[in-house]
Amino acid sequence: MMKNTVSANHTFSAKLMTVTIVGFFLTIVNAQLVVGDKQSPKSREMLFRKRVKRATECTEDFISSEKANDALLAAIYPADQLDACLNNSVLKTNLTELGYIAFSTDQLLILKRKLGEIYTNGLAEEQIQQLGFIITAYGPEEISKWNITTVETLALVIKNSPNLNTTNTIIKNYLRGSGSLNAAALDVIGGTALCTLSEEQLRTISPSELKKAKPLDISTCTQAKKDIIFGIAKEAFQDQAGDINAYYKLIKPYVGGAQASDLRHLATGNINMDFQTFSGLNPVEVKKLTAQNLRDLLGINLKSLKKNENHELVRLWVNSHSATDVMSLGIGLQGGISAAGLGNFSFDEPSGNGSASANSYSLLLSICLAVMGTTLQYL
């Protein structure tokens, strides 16, 4: 009798473990579907209506408030049963808990529809803060009608935004609701999303708030937006301009919007700009820099220009300066405008495999052409 009891217990434990593991697996799969779904909310909802009919009865246990934070609900209750077994009163009371369960798209659309039944006049800011993953079931048009007035709501909604387009709508909604781009908001929004805002909106950032915010990566901004943000940052950190190294560390994230005069000022401080930062500078302004400016600006990193000689910005500088200036860098960088104004040329270094003679002829020909061009100017 005891053996039978032990065997039954083992069987029950094995079944329980199997259900738990399968449920956990399905929860993870559902979460991936929510995050990776590229369909628009409207398209998903149309497909959902075709696939899922409203259940007439609950064949599982009704979901109680005690069960509302069970992560396995996503695995136990398919969309039709979630619809039938979750009363609106339980959803309303436990929205925060249910909002952080990784339900599938169809399950989230069930919750969204039920919320529409509960809040017929739309979601208040309090409910918006509780949505969690359910936010992914709403499209930009619906989100644009939400009342987002605080940084706290902004942070919670952006955290669960499914894509940059939705994030942009959320931010615009926040700004429309008298929200400002203060330091707290900038920290929440981040550089990538900030770059989606208009130039007019970016100009509303005050230097004092940018100074208090965490460094922002504005590499995805257009050049015009980089220029605006750099101007604000320059004013924000002006009090540190006397110590160029300290000033550069603060201004570095925004230096992509710097003008040639700003870069020349930084060059006087031996800042040793790395190539990654250099490559993000405004090409129009880089063309204005002399060879000496580059030496001072990059310092110990000057040789990185040779290592990256095929980079678009390096080629642009080379092709807009004389060959003498290019060679004066002393790093083996080749090309530039010839002295006679006959265009760009470059020399190939001898490879040691018998091509030295050909290279010598090429060098001699280039020199002759330059001399001829100079001579013709005096005829």
Side-chain angles (χ1 to χ4, degrees):
M1 181 67 177
M2 185 174 295
K3 288 183 179 180
N4 290 337
T5 302
V6 172
S7 177
N9 287 337
H10 282 305
T11 301
F12 176 77
S13 299
K15 287 181 178 179
L16 180 61
M17 183 176 294
T18 300
V19 170
T20 301
I21 292 173
V22 171
F24 179 69
F25 173 75
L26 290 174
T27 300
I28 293 175
V29 170
N30 285 340
Q32 290 175 335
L33 288 174
V34 169
V35 174
D37 194 351
K38 295 182 180 180
Q39 288 181 309
S40 69
K42 183 175 283 188
S43 299
R44 295 199 304 264
E45 197 155 4
M46 289 175 66
L47 290 172
F48 160 74
R49 287 175 180 172
K50 292 179 180 179
R51 288 197 303 262
V52 181
K53 295 181 179 179
R54 189 160 187 170
T56 55
E57 61 177 320
C58 175
T59 57
E60 300 287 343
D61 292 333
F62 277 93
I63 300 173
S64 63
S65 292
E66 289 73 23
K67 277 187 173 183
N69 62 353
D70 186 351
L72 293 179
L73 288 179
I76 298 171
Y77 292 86
D80 59 341
Q81 284 299 294
L82 183 66
D83 189 9
C85 301
L86 178 63
N87 290 328
N88 287 358
S89 59
V90 175
L91 173 59
K92 181 178 180 179
T93 306
N94 302 276
L95 181 56
T96 300
E97 291 78 10
L98 292 165
Y100 282 94
I101 293 177
F103 287 113
S104 69
T105 299
D106 285 347
Q107 291 168 319
L108 292 173
L109 288 170
I110 288 288
L111 299 179
K112 174 188 170 183
R113 197 203 69 229
K114 284 179 173 290
L115 287 171
E117 295 171 356
I118 299 170
Y119 302 104
T120 55
N121 294 323
L123 297 172
E125 192 160 11
E126 181 184 356
Q127 284 84 53
I128 293 170
Q129 292 181 354
Q130 297 175 288
L131 287 176
F133 294 139
I134 306 174
I135 287 172
T136 61
Y138 292 86
E141 288 185 14
E142 295 166 309
I143 292 175
S144 67
K145 299 175 184 177
W146 289 354
N147 190 35
I148 301 175
T149 62
T150 68
V151 173
E152 290 73 23
T153 305
L154 179 68
L156 289 168
V157 178
I158 284 182
K159 179 182 178 182
N160 294 289
S161 173
N163 53 58
L164 197 57
N165 184 40
T166 301
T167 299
N168 178 257
T169 301
I170 293 166
I171 298 169
K172 287 181 178 178
N173 195 1
Y174 164 75
L175 295 175
R176 190 178 66 242
S178 300
S180 63
L181 290 173
N182 56 25
L186 291 174
D187 289 344
V188 167
I189 293 169
T192 301
L194 191 70
C195 288
T196 67
L197 299 183
S198 69
E199 294 175 18
E200 290 71 25
Q201 288 168 327
L202 293 177
R203 289 191 181 95
T204 67
I205 302 173
S206 71
S208 60
E209 292 300 323
L210 183 64
K211 186 175 184 178
K212 291 185 289 185
K214 297 175 183 176
L216 297 165
D217 178 4
I218 62 170
S219 58
T220 59
C221 285
T222 63
Q223 188 59 59
K225 293 179 181 180
K226 288 180 181 178
D227 295 347
I228 292 170
I229 297 174
F230 177 80
I232 297 169
K234 183 178 177 181
E235 185 177 346
F237 302 112
Q238 192 61 41
D239 59 336
Q240 297 292 321
D243 183 344
I244 296 179
N245 272 279
Y247 175 66
Y248 174 61
K249 288 178 182 178
L250 295 169
I251 210 80
K252 184 178 177 181
Y254 316 107
V255 77
Q259 296 182 357
S261 57
D262 299 306
L263 297 174
R264 293 189 191 101
H265 174 67
L266 291 173
T268 63
N270 299 316
I271 61 171
N272 297 313
M273 180 180 285
D274 59 272
F275 186 80
Q276 183 178 356
T277 302
F278 175 80
S279 66
L281 298 178
N282 185 344
V284 174
E285 302 302 320
V286 170
K287 283 175 63 176
K288 301 174 184 177
L289 299 180
T290 65
Q292 186 60 50
N293 292 154
L294 289 186
R295 278 194 290 273
D296 294 339
L297 190 66
L298 277 75
I300 61 174
N301 296 314
L302 183 64
K303 290 183 179 180
S304 64
L305 296 181
K306 174 61 179 176
K307 293 178 182 178
N308 297 278
E309 60 184 334
N310 293 321
H311 190 280
E312 183 179 359
L313 187 59
V314 178
R315 298 316 310 166
L316 177 67
W317 186 87
V318 168
N319 293 333
S320 58
H321 288 75
S322 71
T324 302
D325 285 341
V326 174
M327 288 189 293
S328 74
L329 291 175
I331 56 175
L333 201 59
Q334 300 176 355
I337 303 171
S338 68
L342 298 179
N344 298 338
F345 65 89
S346 62
F347 303 134
D348 293 325
E349 294 180 4
S351 60
N353 57 2
S355 63
S357 178
N359 287 328
S360 297
Y361 283 125
S362 176
L363 175 60
L364 181 60
L365 178 61
S366 297
I367 293 173
C368 288
L369 287 171
V371 171
M372 287 173 61
T374 304
T375 303
L376 288 173
Q377 291 178 0
Y378 291 96
L379 292 179

